[in-house]
Structures are given as structure tokens and as C-alpha cells.
Amino acid sequence: MPSVYLYIPNIIGYFRIIINFIAFAVCYSNKTLFAILYFISFVLDGVDGWFARKFNQASTFGAVLDMVTDRVSTACLLALLSQFYRPGLVFLILLGLDITSHWFQMYSSFLSGKTSHKDVKHTGNWLLKLYYGYRPFMAFCCVSCEVLYIILFLFADVKSTSLLSVCRGILNQSPLIVLVFVSTLIGWAVKQLTNIIQMKTAADACVVYDLKRSK
């Protein structure tokens, strides 16, 4: 039996890290190459999951590696966007929400004895169940979010650009670009709402755990 470190999905995870390093190394000098590499890394996020299920190589290490890579890459891109746009605080708030929401979810899942943070069948929120229970919906939200950030990165050609001005400019592009932009904006909004619900639900689970422990 191969070492968990050498599972196919985990090897793909290592490649994702290398690709992200290269992408952010060239983000200022070659924005197109950055966008391509970043998107490839994002696509590989789905590929490693397929391999994990195909070859029965799902692992706790792989799940953690996958989530950390996702969170760090998204955080770096949001930090980058905060330098290009004004108000940059918008992107830093999104960064904080993304990390906080997933950290709360991971920790509350650990306290509940669950093997995956995606196990939300006991939650009462329908959107959270839909997000983690229906893969196409989750994929739409995640792809929309990352593609939207890539679009904003590609259109930010001047430092300290107004976010609203760039969004208005994108809406004046070709119908195809406008369609992609609006579609990703919808998926992005749903994902942020899901992050907020996830954070609140996970926080409630932590409080319930504390109350049970104090009795």
C-alpha cells in the first residue's frame, strides 16, 4: 500500500502548490500567465477529488492539504486585488470571511466527531445543505467566485482603480463578457451568503458544545 503522502490526489495537491507559487511569482509581470496558471490550479482542485474517489484514496491529510491550498491561494488573490482596487478593504473583508467561515466549520466538525467539514446533513439550513449536498451547485458557486476574481484582476490595469468604475466598464464589454461577468457575480454572491450562514451555524455548534461540556 502506498504512503498517504504518495496518493495520487495528494501528488496533484503538491503540483497545485507549485503552480500557485509560479503564478504569484509572475502576477505583476505577466497577468495573463498568472490567470491561466491560477485557473489550472483551481481546476486541479476538482481533479484531485475525482482521483480520490476513483482510486479510493481519500485521506484526512488530503482533505486538509486541499482546503489549506484553496484558502491560501484565494487569500493571496484577494490580498492582491486589495492593492489594485479602492476601496481595498472590500477584498480584505472577503478574505477574512472566507478564512473565518471555513475555520469555524472545520473546528465545529471536529468537535462533532465528523470526518468531513462537508457533512452538514444535521444542519437546519437548506442553502448549506444544497451547497455541500449538490456538487454542481457547489461547483457553480466556487467557479463563479474564482473566475470573478480573475476577471477583476485582468481588468485592473492601473493601481488604485475604482472597483465600481471597473465593474461599469466590464458591463460595457461584449455581450459574452457581460454574461460571464453577471453569471459569476450571482454565483459569487451566493457563495458569500453561504459563507456567512456556515460561519453562524458552525459558531452555534461550538456554543452548543460548550454548554454541554459545562453541565
Side-chain angles (χ1 to χ4, degrees):
M1 178 179 293
S3 167
V4 173
Y5 289 114
L6 298 179
Y7 279 2
I8 295 174
N10 295 340
I11 292 176
I12 294 174
Y14 307 147
F15 275 114
R16 288 187 65 206
I17 294 173
I18 294 172
I19 291 172
N20 278 323
F21 266 114
I22 298 173
F24 283 100
V26 301
C27 66
Y28 288 106
S29 59
N30 195 328
K31 296 175 72 172
T32 302
L33 179 59
F34 165 82
I36 293 172
L37 291 175
Y38 186 90
F39 190 73
I40 289 174
S41 174
F42 177 72
V43 171
L44 288 177
D45 183 28
V47 174
D48 65 10
W50 183 86
F51 273 100
R53 293 185 294 273
K54 176 71 174 179
F55 296 101
N56 193 28
Q57 291 188 340
S59 63
T60 302
F61 169 76
V64 173
L65 176 67
D66 193 52
M67 173 170 278
V68 169
T69 303
D70 289 344
R71 303 283 67 77
V72 171
S73 58
T74 301
C76 288
L77 180 52
L78 287 170
L80 201 58
L81 290 173
S82 74
Q83 300 303 305
F84 282 111
Y85 286 99
R86 292 296 176 267
L89 183 61
V90 171
F91 297 101
L92 296 180
I93 290 174
L94 291 172
L95 190 161
L97 174 62
D98 186 61
I99 293 177
T100 304
S101 172
H102 285 84
W103 172 250
F104 264 92
Q105 182 68 7
M106 284 288 287
Y107 200 78
S108 66
S109 298
F110 169 74
L111 292 177
S112 303
K114 298 176 181 177
T115 58
S116 172
H117 71 283
K118 297 179 181 179
D119 181 2
V120 295
K121 59 179 176 289
H122 297 300
T123 184
N125 188 272
W126 66 270
L127 183 57
L128 207 54
K129 287 182 178 179
L130 179 63
Y131 181 79
Y132 282 119
Y134 187 53
R135 286 186 181 278
F137 180 72
M138 182 182 184
F140 168 71
C141 294
C142 292
V143 171
S144 295
C145 199
E146 298 298 334
V147 171
L148 176 64
Y149 294 152
I150 290 174
I151 290 173
L152 290 176
F153 176 79
L154 290 174
F155 275 87
D157 54 357
V158 180
K159 191 174 182 179
S160 300
T161 305
S162 167
L163 179 58
L164 290 178
S165 296
V166 170
C167 289
R168 284 196 294 265
I170 294 174
L171 292 175
N172 291 325
Q173 299 292 320
S174 67
L176 179 59
I177 293 179
V178 172
L179 177 62
V180 172
F181 180 69
V182 172
S183 298
T184 58
L185 198 59
I186 293 172
W188 168 85
V190 174
K191 191 175 190 305
Q192 303 318 307
L193 178 59
T194 304
N195 277 343
I196 293 172
I197 293 172
Q198 176 176 259
M199 181 173 62
K200 178 61 170 61
T201 302
D204 289 342
C206 291
V207 171
V208 169
Y209 177 84
D210 285 333
L211 292 175
K212 288 182 179 179
R213 190 175 59 173
S214 64
K215 291 182 180 180

